Amino acid sequence: MASIKDVAAEAGVSVATVSRVLNDHPSVSADARTRVLAAVKTLGYRPNAVARSLRTDQTHTLGLVISDVLNPYFGELARSVEEEARALGYSVIIGNADERPDLQDHHVRSLIDRRIDGLLVSPTDGGSPLMLDAVRAGTPMVFVDRWIPGVAVPVVRADGRAAVRELVAHLHALGHRRLAIIAGPAATTTGQERVVAFREALEAYGLELPETYIGQGDFQAESGRRVTEGFLDLPEPPEVVFAADNLMALGALDAVRARGLRVPEDLALAAFDDIPWFVHTDPPITAIAQPTGELGRAAVRALVDRIEGRPPESVTLPARLVVRRSCGENPTPVQRSTS
Amino acid sequence: MASIKDVAAEAGVSVATVSRVLNDHPSVSADARTRVLAAVKTLGYRPNAVARSLRTDQTHTLGLVISDVLNPYFGELARSVEEEARALGYSVIIGNADERPDLQDHHVRSLIDRRIDGLLVSPTDGGSPLMLDAVRAGTPMVFVDRWIPGVAVPVVRADGRAAVRELVAHLHALGHRRLAIIAGPAATTTGQERVVAFREALEAYGLELPETYIGQGDFQAESGRRVTEGFLDLPEPPEVVFAADNLMALGALDAVRARGLRVPEDLALAAFDDIPWFVHTDPPITAIAQPTGELGRAAVRALVDRIEGRPPESVTLPARLVVRRSCGENPTPVQRSTS
DNA sequence: CCTCCTTGTGGAATCGATTACACGACCTCG
DNA sequence: CGAGGTCGTGTAATCGATTCCACAAGGAGG
């Protein structure tokens, strides 16, 4: 593969001049410029990004560490992150942590070794020493969706509290009084927050959230199934299950079906994180939709601001309730699914 | 960030010795080794992968260019690729081409500029000059799922012909005679092949595939909807629609629903590419399942073989039919969905 | 006409690693 | 006891770019 020296030789100039042309530095004569550009074209020369990065200490690459690529929510997030990054001249390396802190650390380390310019993380846990070190060492970082409390890193996320209140209002209006939740891992902020928001919303209606109605899940489908079976085995099973993410909702749906029961007649179901497939399930599932694309773009902008020396901003966007049929017919017309 | 020089100074040895310890070269004294390792630990030193890559001309990074991360099929592929690559000591940079040749070229170029060791591509088209140049220039490459005919690059893919025959047998046994297909882009091999396989399978039953029953889609949901509406407007609409991928099947489902019709009573539906959600749609969708994880792993192994100087092998794995309820009740017991 | 400045260019240092080569110390064997 | 190895180490070249600095040529101004 041709190097800058080959181009210099072909154009009859020094490597310095070639470099100047390539980085359009002002003081290059028109003559030299055209000769260099011609040489570049005939040789099919492309600058070696590795060498350039070594010298400039910039890779124009961002790292994105998420917990599960197979979750459509994170898939969409990854897509929007890549788009915005591309628009700003950056590439993205995605690391899939699979909800495992050790894998998360592996990716963070590997990305830092590669000298990415900045890191977008949706932490799977309360903060590994490695990640805290990275922050302390000055690695530009932004948290997306989830975050680690007490760490001075901008956070870009959705606030679901209003939507959860709406959801509870909707459920209450449908006559449901025994409401249960499948929570996410306590180590994640989203895992905790959604429980808190749910409990607070219930209190507004004078309803309680007993311990038996809080199932411990891990954001994966299988845990949703397991927890739901536990609920159904209770002497007094709940009338509604609210899953803190879409995959656990799917597991819940499985569990209900496996017993020959029906949604919403025997058990109503709602989920956090809306995804296109929820329109097509049987029945279509009522869910709280995050502005995923906007979150991804805002996160990239915040990170690039930080990288390029501008003050980065934390961003919180509202989530909204999308009512479908999984909690009962005749929904209060809060908001209807459009698609 | 500490460099190898700092470590050398701290340990009281030369950089060469540090490098030898790090790459566990045999001729280093035990004494020097322990001093270097101690220095590495106290400084928290990590080798700069950029500098190392420049010198060794290896990045231990693979590029993966796929057409749509939001498609669960490619999501799963990406995941298995990353897993296998990680097991073999490589990282993966994913480029999302969105079925657009220009974006595909953008990513290929960007990956080559970054000097990735090899490229995994699922081409969106018949082969851009850029990609052909890359092959000619000797960039290690492997095609996954789709490929470009006439190019000397190993291909890892699934053969769906047997499964398509099974599907047609299943449909025929259910009494369906008017079968239509929503095809993928003609520029992709998978787009063409699935039509050919379908037609051949029909011929075995003395059935024809008229032009009006071949709808042109682009692997996106919206095109599935559009094509299905066209089918339903036909004077003699088909009894079955076979979508060449999962997203177009979803669009088809939408189109049927929008007219107040039902699957499978009014129109039966089957899809290429099985995904977890198909179990939960209304009705569950009969689909042809590719061994996606195995494809991803095989592709990585082939690429790494090529990179490390071993002869790479093309791999073709069989796809299989998973019968659910979207083509009619009482399915012939060819194979039942398990989950 | 001589200085001073601007403009264009090249030489060489630099980024952080790897590695060929040289060299001194010590060992072994005839 | 000396020749020839082996072992451990350091010096320096190298990868492909960017960029500081020096310098030559030419123009402007006194």
Side-chain angles (χ1 to χ4, degrees), chain A residues 282-305:
Chain A
D282 176 25
I285 295 178
T286 292
I288 292 176
Q290 297 195 46
T292 320
E294 197 43 57
L295 286 176
R297 285 187 287 275
V300 170
R301 281 195 297 266
L303 183 56
V304 171
D305 279 347

Side-chain angles (χ1 to χ4, degrees), chain B residues 54 70 112 288-289 314:
Chain B
L54 176 60
L70 292 190
I112 292 178
I288 292 176
S314 284

Side-chain angles (χ1 to χ4, degrees), chain B residues 217-252:
Chain B
D218 60 5
F219 285 145
Q220 301 292 313
E222 181 47 38
S223 71
R225 182 196 316 257
R226 182 174 34 75
V227 169
T228 304
E229 281 172 359
F231 285 154
L232 291 172
D233 286 339
L234 250 32
E236 195 173 48
E239 296 157 334
V240 186
V241 167
F242 173 44
D245 92 332
N246 54 42
L247 295 179
M248 296 194 298
L250 212 59

Side-chain angles (χ1 to χ4, degrees), chain B residues 171 178-182 198 224 227-228 231-232 238-243 248-249 252 256 267-271 327:
Chain B
L171 295 170
R178 296 198 306 279
L179 316 185
I181 185 170
I182 309 177
F198 193 56
V227 169
T228 304
F231 285 154
L232 291 172
E239 296 157 334
V240 186
V241 167
F242 173 44
M248 296 194 298
V256 175
L267 184 66
L269 181 62
C327 298

Side-chain angles (χ1 to χ4, degrees), chain B residues 265-282:
Chain B
E265 291 81 354
D266 300 306
L267 184 66
L269 181 62
F272 209 105
D273 287 346
D274 190 25
I275 53 175
W277 306 95
F278 278 173
V279 177
H280 306 280
T281 50
D282 174 25

Side-chain angles (χ1 to χ4, degrees), chain B residues 3-4 19 23 45 48 55:
Chain B
S3 85
I4 197 172
S19 178
N23 297 283
Y45 169 76
N48 182 328
R55 183 60 231 254

